[in-house]
Amino acid sequence: MDDKDRTGEGRVLRVQLELHLDRQPVTGRLRPEAGAEEPFVGWLGFVETLRRLHDAANPEGEELSR
């Protein structure tokens, strides 16, 4: 079973995650396949960065599943 079968969609946002667990708050970077790395601070910063990358990869404006 591939990702398309599991999600019912053919579109995938693939990112590389660098996470510094020994820091408070947690910090790291998300790097999409195409584009610059996006640093974040805290779990809410992680979610916001992921949402921003989703929006940039999704010009049709489909809402991120919650």
Side-chain angles (χ1 to χ4, degrees):
M1 179 182 281
D2 63 15
D3 286 337
K4 184 175 180 179
D5 292 337
R6 280 183 285 190
T7 64
E9 298 179 41
R11 295 170 32 90
V12 174
L13 174 62
R14 185 168 285 121
V15 297
Q16 181 179 7
L17 171 64
E18 179 181 303
L19 190 60
H20 303 279
L21 296 172
D22 59 342
R23 298 185 185 160
Q24 290 296 326
V26 65
T27 62
R29 288 176 251 206
L30 287 172
R31 184 178 299 119
E33 288 183 307
E37 63 184 31
E38 297 280 338
F40 64 87
V41 176
W43 292 112
L44 293 177
F46 166 73
V47 171
E48 180 57 32
T49 301
L50 187 57
R51 179 171 299 282
R52 222 176 24 254
L53 291 172
H54 170 270
D55 291 347
N58 187 26
E60 295 87 33
E62 294 176 19
E63 194 167 314
L64 182 63
S65 297
R66 297 178 200 266

